[in-house]
Amino acid sequence: MKKVLLILLSVCSSLGVAGTQQPSGSKSTLPPASSQRAFMDTYCVTCHNDRLRTGELSLEKVELQNGAEGAETWEKVIRKLRTGAMPPQGAPRRPDTAAADNFVSFLEASIDRAAMAKPNPGRATVHRLNRTEYGNAIRDLLALDIDPTPLLPADDESYGFDNIADVLKTSPSLLQRYMSASWNISRLAIGNPSITADTSTYRAKPDLSQDGHIEGLPLGTRGGMIVRHNFQLDGEYDIKVRLWRATAEIIKGLEEPHQLEISVDGVRAKLVTFGGPADRDLSYENPGKSAEDVDRRLTVRVPVKAGPRTVVATFLNEGDAQNDNVLQPFLRTNLDPLGYRGLPAVDRVSVTGPFKPTGAGDTPSRRQILVCRPASSADELTCAKKIIGTLARRAYRRPVTDDDLQSLIEFYQRGRNEGGNFESGIEAAVQLILASPDFLFRFEPDPDSLAADAVYRIGDLQLASRLSFFLWSSIPDEELLNLASQGRLKEPAVLERQVRRMLADPRSKALVDNFAGQWLYLRNLKTINPDFETFPDFDDNLRQAMKRETELFIDSIMREDKSVMDLLNANYTFLNERLARHYGIPGIYGTDFRRVTLKEDARRGLLGQASILTVTSYPTRTSPVQRGKWILTNVLGIPPNPPPPNIPALKERSDTGKPTTLRERMEEHRTNPTCAGCHRMMDPIGFSLENFDALGQWRTTDEGVKIDPSGTVFNGAKVDGPASLRQMLTSRPEVFVGVLTEKMLTYGLGRGVQYYDMPAVRSVVRDAGHNDFRFSSIVLGIVKSAPFQMKVKSPSVQSQ
């Protein structure tokens, strides 16, 4: 294939193939088919059995005369050529960049013209709400924040995301989980008076350091926990704080007295003093009894009104004087599970109740659901129809039919009769709505009047759902649903206003949490546990700061509608004291994050952020391979092939026993021919980031040997560190913007982007280029694209 491309490029260079701006009716002169085949047969000597094939890409049966006919293959060629990955550096008669660009432009123009004349937006399958979407939908439908994690299992992933319809399977056990969730949620939302006392326990991360102030907790405090708890009913609740134990049930820090405050919504429920000589002596004599005694004192029963409340358990700060027991303490305070000295820390907070309940109270969910209150039993049915109809319309994302309402009213009547009151009936109807397929699945029924495989524009209601789950990972709100019901959402001006409104809404943070969190692997941070002997200062405080920096950074690009190229180029970031100290940036104090202008080029953009550098490292060291693969996949869109089986492991130390850098050991590893091919693509990219250690701290040596970050990447560019790598990656903005558009389109459609979607991707990138690649221009381009607004009718008997 390499020489096939080389010959074709040389031919196109000599013929002066036109670019993408040529008129739609113009034609480029190409050699006849017989001449094309002659070139291939004569010049294209290949790597495998003299066939025109390299890896999985073959040009044996494609014709250059009509690029659209072989679009699936030519799209792979375009991707390789756009990034400079093919032909390889050093190949004989390798055409220059201009010739390659002309050839690519010719292919793109040919394929795009055909796609414009005959669009193929792909098919849409039934889409089950994933766990995140389910939780968000409950929040927006019932004004009830829940954690869906204990209610539903994790979703499978495909194409890098967990909202892909093809892998969102349904099973009897999953349906049972949905039924159970609907029962629990409806009881909580209405405030069922028969709810009995239960316990919810919130645990601190084991590596959370609590020797200083924690973001979100009151000033003048140190350590502790803050939790958001839904109190089911008005009544009394036990709040119990359990302190972190060392081995043998010894509570840390009992040598000195300490004060712990328990509060609900900022109102102190109890202030407990513990520690000092009596507690210390008892902990030495009988650690178990001492711990039980402290636990008893750290329990309080308090009356609480129903609804979401903030529970805080934190220590009053006794001063910032440095502990002189250790000359140079680690930043992580609970490194040693055997250590009993130091400051006490909160291990978990438990809430048990309700006890002596007095009623359902006035909660946000009750205000959202009960839009009317019947004055008498004669008014109940009318009010019930209004409540149920309003909820069902939002939940089903469409107008409610008479049949819909009839089945829900029947369920209401049954609940009303069994529970003996109006609210019991409403609770039963809510339970049925939450278990309904119309809520749990996104259906897009095909019009009966169209033939199978017909391409058509989806209706406004389907467009509203696609839009809201794309930008909010949730159901449409009233404004969006009203416009869709009126048939106005399809109007270009109306649609653009809605997109901009939705991006400005706080719910668009779902794009940061769910889209960027998966695209950039930020979700993996929660499972990252670097080796504590190699990195003894790593703790959950740093882990959360890394994640928060990148989330705030991406959020700023979106909220301020900046160019998406700033994701790689921006000269600012967001830091608190912990992360600034990690980076070696002075003058940043406190736990609050603030915007900071970067003075060092190496830190600019995503490639200088510790979150990215950490998730692409191993627990004990960096991984140029993982970092190179991450950039090839998420920035350049040319992921390497999976490694072949039985690859020998990298040597962790030199055979000579002398200190060597990771680079030296990997160069030895690459002498294996099986490993060399892919490593030539990945390693130079990864080595350019080698000055960042496995946690993203800057360094100049590895194993005492000076780091050499220089190299030549696959397209011939010379790099010698993060700045030059970033310059290479941003030299062709359309490549990175194209990859971002592909990833976002995949996420927005809930299916993998295919070769027939690439004309739409290129159209989005071209149009966004006229607007400096601003974030909103990418989103608007996707929303206006054929794959987002159109579909192919299913050939099956039953409409999808």
Side-chain angles (χ1 to χ4, degrees):
M1 174 196 159
K2 296 177 181 178
K3 293 192 176 182
V4 172
L5 292 179
L6 197 148
I7 293 299
L8 292 176
L9 283 167
S10 300
V11 170
C12 292
S13 176
S14 63
L15 292 175
V17 175
T20 56
Q21 300 302 316
Q22 59 184 323
S24 59
S26 66
K27 295 183 178 179
S28 299
T29 305
L30 289 173
S34 58
S35 297
Q36 296 173 39
R37 184 55 55 193
F39 272 118
M40 293 182 182
D41 291 342
T42 303
Y43 296 105
C44 300
V45 180
T46 60
C47 299
H48 300 292
N49 300 324
D50 293 327
R51 294 177 62 81
L52 306 177
R53 193 171 185 87
T54 296
E56 296 300 320
L57 183 56
S58 173
L59 299 180
E60 286 182 297
K61 298 181 180 180
V62 295
E63 298 294 340
L64 187 61
Q65 192 72 34
N66 186 357
E69 290 297 324
E72 185 172 4
T73 297
W74 288 123
E75 288 293 353
K76 299 175 183 177
V77 172
I78 290 169
R79 189 180 296 273
K80 293 286 188 181
L81 293 176
R82 273 293 183 207
T83 57
M86 294 293 284
Q89 290 298 311
R93 298 173 59 193
R94 187 180 196 274
D96 59 25
T97 302
D101 287 346
N102 282 338
F103 179 54
V104 170
S105 296
F106 163 78
L107 288 176
E108 290 177 342
S110 175
I111 295 171
D112 292 354
R113 280 196 300 270
M116 185 175 295
K118 189 177 180 181
N120 178 7
R123 303 185 190 278
T125 58
V126 175
H127 193 133
R128 174 176 62 79
L129 270 61
N130 68 15
R131 187 165 67 179
T132 299
E133 292 168 340
Y134 181 86
N136 290 344
I138 295 296
R139 176 201 65 200
D140 294 339
L141 178 66
L142 304 179
L144 182 65
D145 274 312
I146 63 161
D147 177 9
T149 304
L151 299 175
L152 301 172
D155 299 294
D156 292 331
E157 294 183 4
S158 183
Y159 297 97
F161 299 100
D162 64 2
N163 68 337
I164 304 302
D166 287 344
V167 298
L168 289 173
K169 304 299 184 182
T170 304
S171 66
S173 62
L174 179 60
L175 293 178
Q176 183 62 43
R177 297 284 290 272
Y178 276 123
M179 291 292 293
S180 176
S182 69
W183 184 80
N184 284 288
I185 292 170
S186 61
R187 285 165 59 86
L188 177 61
I190 292 296
N192 189 307
S194 66
I195 289 176
T196 57
D198 63 2
T199 299
S200 298
T201 300
Y202 305 89
R203 289 176 167 83
K205 291 282 285 187
D207 56 351
L208 176 69
S209 295
Q210 300 188 39
D211 60 332
H213 180 260
I214 292 179
E215 185 180 15
L217 290 174
L219 295 177
T221 65
R222 68 149 191 91
M225 288 183 64
I226 179 170
V227 300
R228 191 73 172 165
H229 180 77
N230 281 309
F231 291 86
Q232 303 100 310
L233 302 170
D234 289 354
E236 296 180 357
Y237 294 82
D238 286 344
I239 300 176
K240 179 179 179 179
V241 179
R242 188 178 191 273
L243 299 181
W244 191 88
R245 269 92 155 145
T247 303
E249 287 293 291
I250 296 177
I251 296 176
K252 289 174 57 176
L254 292 184
E255 297 85 2
E256 302 293 335
H258 304 279
Q259 289 185 306
L260 183 137
E261 180 185 72
I262 302 172
S263 65
V264 179
D265 279 353
V267 178
R268 176 180 290 175
K270 190 173 186 180
L271 181 64
V272 183
T273 300
F274 66 95
D279 284 334
R280 177 196 61 202
D281 294 343
L282 184 58
S283 69
Y284 294 159
E285 297 169 4
N286 191 335
K289 183 177 180 181
S290 171
E292 291 176 3
D293 181 63
V294 173
D295 287 344
R296 178 182 53 78
R297 281 182 275 166
L298 296 181
T299 302
V300 58
R301 177 166 291 191
V302 58
V304 182
K305 293 291 186 182
R309 308 287 175 191
T310 300
V311 178
V312 166
T314 185
F315 302 94
L316 300 189
N317 198 353
E318 297 146 10
D320 297 322
Q322 178 69 53
N323 188 323
D324 58 5
N325 291 332
V326 183
L327 293 179
Q328 188 175 354
F330 293 120
L331 296 180
R332 175 173 169 174
T333 59
N334 55 352
L335 187 65
D336 183 6
L338 300 177
Y340 58 88
R341 294 187 179 275
L343 296 172
V346 173
D347 176 54
R348 67 191 69 167
V349 174
S350 300
V351 180
T352 303
F355 302 105
K356 302 177 182 177
T358 59
D362 181 26
T363 64
S365 60
R366 286 175 58 82
R367 292 194 295 270
Q368 176 100 341
I369 296 169
L370 301 174
V371 294
C372 61
R373 303 290 177 99
S376 65
S377 58
D379 299 328
E380 287 187 0
L381 185 59
T382 301
C383 182
K385 288 181 177 180
K386 181 177 181 180
I387 292 172
I388 295 169
T390 301
L391 288 175
R393 178 175 178 269
R394 288 287 311 282
Y396 299 166
R397 286 96 59 190
R398 59 170 175 78
V400 179
T401 65
D402 291 340
D403 288 342
D404 293 328
L405 194 56
Q406 180 61 34
S407 62
L408 290 169
I409 290 299
E410 289 175 0
F411 221 72
Y412 156 79
Q413 293 283 17
R414 186 184 308 170
R416 170 71 176 81
N417 295 336
E418 292 176 358
N421 59 66
F422 172 76
E423 291 187 2
S424 297
I426 296 298
E427 179 187 319
V430 171
Q431 181 182 349
L432 181 59
I433 288 172
L434 299 185
S436 168
D438 289 287
F439 174 65
L440 298 175
F441 296 88
R442 291 163 54 189
F443 296 103
E444 292 183 354
D446 292 322
D448 294 333
S449 59
L450 294 178
D453 297 324
V455 176
Y456 69 96
R457 189 173 297 276
I458 62 174
D460 280 42
L461 290 168
Q462 289 78 34
L463 180 59
S465 279
R466 286 192 179 192
L467 189 57
S468 65
F469 281 99
F470 173 30
L471 300 183
W472 289 346
S473 295
S474 186
I475 58 177
D477 64 359
E478 278 297 323
E479 181 173 339
L480 190 63
L481 200 54
N482 285 338
L483 288 169
S485 299
Q486 297 165 10
R488 296 182 55 204
L489 188 58
K490 70 173 78 68
E491 299 173 15
V494 173
L495 181 60
E496 180 168 342
R497 280 197 301 271
Q498 287 303 302
V499 170
R500 294 188 182 279
R501 176 184 72 86
M502 295 174 74
L503 285 175
D505 190 281
R507 283 170 286 188
S508 64
K509 190 176 181 294
L511 282 175
V512 178
D513 297 337
N514 302 326
F515 168 66
Q518 295 180 84
W519 168 43
L520 302 176
Y521 306 171
L522 295 181
R523 286 188 176 183
N524 296 356
L525 266 175
K526 64 184 178 184
T527 61
I528 294 294
N529 288 294
D531 179 68
F532 69 86
E533 291 185 355
T534 308
F535 303 103
D537 282 336
F538 183 85
D539 56 13
D540 190 57
N541 312 62
L542 183 58
R543 181 190 290 112
Q544 296 302 323
M546 291 176 175
K547 182 170 180 281
R548 185 72 173 142
E549 175 195 23
T550 304
E551 289 176 342
L552 289 171
F553 175 68
I554 297 171
D555 190 73
S556 74
I557 301 292
M558 178 177 70
R559 302 286 175 204
E560 299 169 31
D561 202 15
K562 292 179 174 292
S563 169
V564 295
M565 292 305 297
D566 282 357
L567 290 169
L568 300 178
N569 272 331
N571 67 341
Y572 70 90
T573 190
F574 294 84
L575 303 175
N576 66 356
E577 181 177 354
R578 182 71 176 87
L579 191 56
R581 185 173 179 178
H582 184 69
Y583 288 167
I585 297 177
I588 308 296
Y589 302 103
T591 56
D592 288 344
F593 277 80
R594 75 238 41 195
R595 189 170 182 149
V596 176
T597 300
L598 297 168
K599 297 180 180 179
E600 299 292 334
D601 280 350
R603 285 287 175 201
R604 294 177 64 162
L606 290 170
L607 299 186
Q609 295 184 4
S611 60
I612 306 300
L613 297 162
T614 300
V615 297
T616 53
S617 295
Y618 290 128
T620 58
R621 62 168 175 83
T622 60
S623 174
V625 172
Q626 294 299 322
R627 289 176 177 178
K629 179 182 177 182
W630 187 93
I631 290 174
L632 289 173
T633 302
N634 296 304
V635 178
L636 295 172
I638 47 172
N641 292 326
N646 303 319
I647 292 295
L650 177 70
K651 295 178 180 179
E652 293 298 326
R653 290 291 181 271
S654 168
D655 292 336
T656 65
K658 296 180 180 180
T660 57
T661 63
L662 177 60
R663 182 184 189 118
E664 291 170 333
R665 300 197 301 275
M666 291 195 65
E667 286 174 351
E668 181 182 352
H669 181 71
R670 284 204 306 274
T671 58
N672 185 330
T674 309
C675 309
C678 289
H679 280 284
R680 277 195 295 267
M681 289 283 289
M682 297 181 289
D683 291 2
I685 295 174
F687 283 134
S688 67
L689 298 173
E690 191 63 7
N691 281 116
F692 293 117
D693 73 8
L695 300 184
Q697 280 190 304
W698 187 260
R699 60 180 182 170
T700 56
T701 61
D702 177 25
E703 298 283 350
V705 181
K706 185 177 180 180
I707 290 173
D708 176 13
S710 63
T712 302
V713 297
F714 60 85
N715 61 6
K718 305 290 184 182
V719 294
D720 59 3
S724 56
L725 174 65
R726 187 174 61 252
Q727 184 178 3
M728 183 275 288
L729 295 174
T730 58
S731 62
R732 301 182 72 105
E734 71 279 1
V735 172
F736 172 65
V737 178
V739 174
L740 171 60
T741 303
E742 280 186 65
K743 298 288 186 181
M744 196 176 286
L745 184 61
T746 297
Y747 175 81
L749 294 176
R751 67 167 175 83
V753 168
Q754 306 299 326
Y755 72 92
Y756 48 77
D757 297 308
M758 293 311 296
V761 171
R762 286 190 286 271
S763 176
V764 172
V765 174
R766 281 195 300 269
D767 292 344
H770 300 312
N771 198 24
D772 194 30
F773 300 117
R774 293 188 182 278
F775 188 90
S776 65
S777 66
I778 304 295
V779 174
L780 281 165
I782 289 173
V783 171
K784 295 175 182 178
S785 69
F788 198 87
Q789 294 208 11
M790 305 178 75
K791 62 179 287 192
V792 178
K793 183 174 180 178
S794 171
S796 61
V797 176
Q798 293 183 347
S799 298
Q800 293 288 339

Coordinates of all heavy atoms in Angstrom, one line a residue, residues 154-205:
A154 N -23.3 -0.8 35.8 CA -22.5 0.0 34.8 C -22.8 -0.4 33.4 O -23.2 -1.6 33.1 CB -21.0 -0.1 35.1
D155 N -22.7 0.5 32.4 CA -23.0 0.2 31.0 C -21.7 -0.1 30.3 O -20.6 0.3 30.6 CB -23.6 1.5 30.4 CG -24.9 1.9 31.0 OD1 -25.9 1.1 30.9 OD2 -25.0 3.0 31.7
D156 N -21.9 -1.0 29.3 CA -20.8 -1.3 28.4 C -20.4 -0.1 27.6 O -21.2 0.8 27.4 CB -21.2 -2.5 27.5 CG -21.3 -3.8 28.3 OD1 -20.7 -3.9 29.3 OD2 -22.1 -4.6 27.8
E157 N -19.2 -0.1 27.1 CA -18.7 1.0 26.3 C -18.3 0.5 24.9 O -18.0 -0.7 24.7 CB -17.4 1.6 26.9 CG -17.6 2.3 28.2 CD -16.3 2.9 28.7 OE1 -15.3 2.9 28.0 OE2 -16.4 3.4 29.8
S158 N -18.4 1.4 23.9 CA -18.1 1.1 22.5 C -17.7 2.4 21.9 O -18.3 3.4 22.2 CB -19.2 0.4 21.8 OG -18.8 0.1 20.4
Y159 N -16.7 2.4 21.0 CA -16.2 3.6 20.3 C -15.8 4.6 21.4 O -15.8 5.8 21.1 CB -17.3 4.2 19.4 CG -17.6 3.3 18.2 CD1 -18.8 2.5 18.3 CD2 -16.8 3.2 17.1 CE1 -19.1 1.6 17.2 CE2 -17.2 2.4 16.0 CZ -18.3 1.6 16.1 OH -18.6 0.8 15.1
G160 N -15.4 4.2 22.6 CA -14.9 5.1 23.6 C -16.0 5.7 24.5 O -15.6 6.5 25.4
F161 N -17.3 5.4 24.3 CA -18.3 6.0 25.1 C -19.3 4.9 25.6 O -19.5 3.9 25.0 CB -19.1 7.0 24.2 CG -18.2 8.2 23.8 CD1 -17.7 8.2 22.5 CD2 -17.8 9.2 24.6 CE1 -16.8 9.2 22.1 CE2 -17.0 10.2 24.2 CZ -16.5 10.2 22.9
D162 N -20.1 5.3 26.6 CA -21.0 4.4 27.2 C -22.5 4.7 26.9 O -23.4 4.2 27.5 CB -20.9 4.3 28.8 CG -21.2 5.7 29.4 OD1 -21.6 6.6 28.7 OD2 -21.1 5.8 30.7
N163 N -22.7 5.5 25.8 CA -24.0 5.8 25.4 C -24.3 5.3 23.9 O -25.1 5.8 23.2 CB -24.3 7.3 25.4 CG -23.5 8.1 24.4 OD1 -22.4 7.7 24.0 ND2 -23.9 9.3 24.1
I164 N -23.5 4.3 23.5 CA -23.7 3.7 22.2 C -24.8 2.7 22.2 O -24.8 1.7 22.9 CB -22.3 3.1 21.7 CG1 -21.2 4.1 21.8 CG2 -22.5 2.5 20.3 CD1 -21.4 5.3 21.0
A165 N -25.8 3.0 21.3 CA -27.0 2.2 21.3 C -26.8 0.7 21.2 O -27.4 -0.1 21.8 CB -28.0 2.7 20.3
D166 N -25.9 0.3 20.3 CA -25.7 -1.1 20.0 C -25.2 -1.9 21.2 O -25.4 -3.2 21.2 CB -24.6 -1.3 18.9 CG -25.2 -0.8 17.5 OD1 -26.4 -0.7 17.4 OD2 -24.4 -0.6 16.6
V167 N -24.6 -1.3 22.2 CA -24.1 -2.1 23.3 C -24.9 -1.9 24.6 O -24.7 -2.4 25.6 CB -22.6 -1.8 23.6 CG1 -21.7 -2.2 22.5 CG2 -22.4 -0.4 24.0
L168 N -26.0 -1.0 24.4 CA -26.9 -0.8 25.6 C -27.9 -1.8 25.6 O -29.1 -1.6 25.2 CB -27.4 0.6 25.5 CG -26.5 1.8 25.8 CD1 -27.1 3.1 25.5 CD2 -26.0 1.7 27.3
K169 N -27.6 -3.0 25.9 CA -28.5 -4.2 25.8 C -29.4 -4.2 27.0 O -29.3 -3.5 28.0 CB -27.7 -5.5 25.8 CG -26.6 -5.6 24.7 CD -27.2 -5.5 23.3 CE -26.1 -5.7 22.3 NZ -26.7 -5.6 20.9
T170 N -30.5 -5.0 26.8 CA -31.5 -5.2 27.9 C -31.6 -6.6 28.2 O -31.6 -7.5 27.3 CB -32.8 -4.6 27.4 OG1 -32.7 -3.2 26.9 CG2 -33.9 -4.7 28.5
S171 N -31.8 -6.9 29.5 CA -31.9 -8.3 29.9 C -33.0 -8.3 31.0 O -33.4 -7.3 31.6 CB -30.6 -8.8 30.5 OG -30.3 -8.1 31.7
P172 N -33.6 -9.5 31.3 CA -34.6 -9.6 32.3 C -34.1 -9.1 33.7 O -34.8 -8.4 34.4 CB -34.9 -11.1 32.4 CG -34.6 -11.6 31.0 CD -33.4 -10.8 30.6
S173 N -32.8 -9.3 34.0 CA -32.3 -8.9 35.3 C -32.2 -7.3 35.3 O -32.5 -6.7 36.3 CB -30.9 -9.5 35.6 OG -30.0 -9.1 34.6
L174 N -31.8 -6.8 34.2 CA -31.7 -5.3 34.1 C -33.1 -4.7 34.2 O -33.3 -3.7 34.9 CB -31.1 -4.8 32.8 CG -31.0 -3.3 32.6 CD1 -30.1 -2.7 33.7 CD2 -30.4 -3.0 31.3
L175 N -34.1 -5.3 33.6 CA -35.5 -4.8 33.7 C -36.0 -4.8 35.1 O -36.7 -4.0 35.6 CB -36.4 -5.5 32.8 CG -36.2 -5.3 31.3 CD1 -37.1 -6.2 30.5 CD2 -36.4 -3.9 30.9
Q176 N -35.6 -5.9 35.8 CA -35.9 -6.0 37.2 C -35.3 -4.9 38.1 O -35.9 -4.4 39.0 CB -35.5 -7.4 37.8 CG -35.9 -7.6 39.2 CD -37.4 -7.6 39.4 OE1 -38.1 -8.2 38.6 NE2 -37.9 -7.0 40.5
R177 N -34.0 -4.5 37.7 CA -33.4 -3.4 38.4 C -34.1 -2.1 38.1 O -34.3 -1.3 39.0 CB -31.9 -3.3 38.0 CG -31.1 -4.5 38.3 CD -30.7 -4.6 39.8 NE -29.7 -3.5 40.1 CZ -28.4 -3.6 40.0 NH1 -27.9 -4.8 39.6 NH2 -27.6 -2.6 40.4
Y178 N -34.6 -1.9 36.9 CA -35.4 -0.7 36.6 C -36.7 -0.7 37.4 O -37.1 0.4 37.9 CB -35.7 -0.6 35.1 CG -34.5 -0.1 34.3 CD1 -34.0 -0.8 33.2 CD2 -34.1 1.2 34.5 CE1 -33.0 -0.2 32.5 CE2 -33.0 1.8 33.8 CZ -32.5 1.0 32.7 OH -31.5 1.6 32.0
M179 N -37.3 -1.8 37.5 CA -38.6 -1.9 38.3 C -38.3 -1.5 39.8 O -39.0 -0.8 40.4 CB -39.2 -3.3 38.2 CG -39.7 -3.7 36.8 SD -41.2 -2.7 36.4 CE -42.3 -3.3 37.6
S180 N -37.2 -2.1 40.3 CA -36.9 -1.8 41.7 C -36.6 -0.4 41.9 O -37.0 0.3 42.9 CB -35.7 -2.7 42.1 OG -35.3 -2.4 43.4
A181 N -35.8 0.2 40.9 CA -35.4 1.6 41.0 C -36.7 2.5 41.0 O -36.8 3.5 41.7 CB -34.5 2.0 39.9
S182 N -37.6 2.2 40.1 CA -38.8 3.0 40.0 C -39.6 3.0 41.3 O -40.2 4.0 41.7 CB -39.7 2.5 38.8 OG -40.3 1.2 39.1
W183 N -39.7 1.8 41.9 CA -40.4 1.7 43.2 C -39.7 2.6 44.3 O -40.4 3.4 45.0 CB -40.4 0.3 43.6 CG -41.2 0.0 44.9 CD1 -42.6 -0.1 45.0 CD2 -40.7 -0.2 46.2 NE1 -42.9 -0.3 46.3 CE2 -41.8 -0.4 47.1 CE3 -39.4 -0.2 46.8 CZ2 -41.6 -0.6 48.5 CZ3 -39.2 -0.4 48.1 CH2 -40.4 -0.6 49.0
N184 N -38.4 2.5 44.4 CA -37.7 3.3 45.4 C -37.7 4.8 45.1 O -38.0 5.6 46.0 CB -36.2 2.8 45.5 CG -36.0 1.5 46.2 OD1 -36.2 1.4 47.4 ND2 -35.7 0.5 45.5
I185 N -37.6 5.2 43.9 CA -37.5 6.6 43.5 C -38.9 7.2 43.7 O -39.0 8.3 44.2 CB -37.0 6.8 42.1 CG1 -35.5 6.4 42.0 CG2 -37.2 8.2 41.6 CD1 -35.0 6.3 40.6
S186 N -40.0 6.5 43.3 CA -41.3 7.1 43.4 C -41.7 7.3 44.9 O -42.3 8.3 45.3 CB -42.4 6.2 42.7 OG -42.4 4.9 43.3
R187 N -41.3 6.4 45.8 CA -41.6 6.5 47.2 C -40.8 7.7 47.8 O -41.4 8.5 48.6 CB -41.2 5.2 47.9 CG -42.1 4.1 47.7 CD -41.5 2.8 48.2 NE -41.1 2.8 49.6 CZ -42.0 2.5 50.6 NH1 -43.2 2.2 50.3 NH2 -41.5 2.5 51.8
L188 N -39.6 7.9 47.4 CA -38.8 9.0 47.9 C -39.3 10.3 47.3 O -39.4 11.3 48.1 CB -37.3 8.8 47.4 CG -36.3 9.9 47.8 CD1 -36.3 10.1 49.3 CD2 -34.9 9.6 47.3
A189 N -39.7 10.3 46.1 CA -40.1 11.6 45.4 C -41.4 12.1 46.1 O -41.6 13.3 46.3 CB -40.3 11.4 43.9
I190 N -42.3 11.2 46.3 CA -43.6 11.6 46.9 C -43.5 11.8 48.4 O -44.2 12.6 49.1 CB -44.7 10.6 46.6 CG1 -45.0 10.6 45.1 CG2 -46.0 10.8 47.3 CD1 -45.6 11.9 44.6
G191 N -42.6 11.0 49.1 CA -42.5 11.0 50.5 C -43.6 10.0 51.1 O -44.4 10.5 51.9
N192 N -43.4 8.8 50.8 CA -44.4 7.8 51.3 C -44.2 7.7 52.8 O -43.2 7.4 53.3 CB -44.0 6.4 50.6 CG -45.1 5.4 50.9 OD1 -45.4 5.1 52.1 ND2 -45.6 4.7 49.9
P193 N -45.3 7.8 53.5 CA -45.3 7.9 55.0 C -44.9 6.5 55.6 O -44.6 6.5 56.8 CB -46.7 8.3 55.4 CG -47.6 7.9 54.3 CD -46.7 8.1 53.0
S194 N -45.0 5.4 54.8 CA -44.6 4.1 55.4 C -43.1 3.8 55.3 O -42.7 2.7 55.6 CB -45.4 3.0 54.6 OG -45.1 2.9 53.3
I195 N -42.4 4.7 54.8 CA -40.9 4.5 54.7 C -40.4 4.2 56.0 O -40.6 5.0 57.0 CB -40.2 5.7 54.1 CG1 -40.6 5.9 52.6 CG2 -38.7 5.7 54.2 CD1 -40.0 7.1 51.9
T196 N -39.6 3.2 56.1 CA -39.0 2.8 57.4 C -37.5 3.2 57.5 O -36.9 3.6 56.5 CB -39.1 1.3 57.6 OG1 -38.4 0.6 56.6 CG2 -40.5 0.8 57.7
A197 N -37.0 3.2 58.7 CA -35.6 3.7 58.9 C -34.6 2.8 58.2 O -34.7 1.6 58.2 CB -35.3 3.8 60.4
D198 N -33.7 3.4 57.4 CA -32.6 2.7 56.9 C -31.3 3.5 57.0 O -31.4 4.7 57.5 CB -32.8 2.3 55.4 CG -33.0 3.5 54.5 OD1 -32.9 4.7 55.0 OD2 -33.2 3.4 53.3
T199 N -30.2 3.0 56.6 CA -28.9 3.6 56.8 C -28.2 3.8 55.4 O -28.1 2.9 54.6 CB -28.0 2.8 57.7 OG1 -28.6 2.7 59.0 CG2 -26.6 3.5 57.9
S200 N -27.8 5.1 55.2 CA -26.9 5.4 54.1 C -25.5 5.7 54.6 O -25.4 6.6 55.5 CB -27.5 6.5 53.3 OG -28.8 6.2 52.8
T201 N -24.5 5.1 54.0 CA -23.1 5.4 54.5 C -22.3 6.0 53.4 O -22.3 5.5 52.3 CB -22.5 4.0 55.0 OG1 -23.3 3.5 56.0 CG2 -21.1 4.3 55.5
Y202 N -21.6 7.0 53.7 CA -20.7 7.7 52.8 C -19.3 7.6 53.3 O -19.0 8.0 54.4 CB -21.1 9.2 52.7 CG -22.6 9.4 52.3 CD1 -23.6 9.5 53.3 CD2 -23.0 9.5 51.0 CE1 -24.9 9.6 53.0 CE2 -24.3 9.7 50.7 CZ -25.3 9.8 51.7 OH -26.6 9.9 51.3
R203 N -18.4 7.1 52.4 CA -17.1 6.8 52.8 C -16.1 7.8 52.2 O -16.2 8.1 51.0 CB -16.7 5.4 52.5 CG -17.3 4.3 53.3 CD -17.0 2.9 52.9 NE -17.4 1.9 53.8 CZ -18.6 1.4 53.9 NH1 -19.5 1.8 53.1 NH2 -18.9 0.5 54.9
A204 N -15.1 8.2 52.9 CA -14.0 9.0 52.4 C -13.0 8.1 51.6 O -12.9 6.9 52.0 CB -13.3 9.7 53.5
K205 N -12.4 8.6 50.6 CA -11.4 7.8 49.9 C -10.3 7.5 50.9 O -9.8 8.3 51.7 CB -10.8 8.6 48.7 CG -11.8 8.8 47.6 CD -11.9 7.5 46.8 CE -10.7 7.3 45.9 NZ -10.9 6.2 44.9

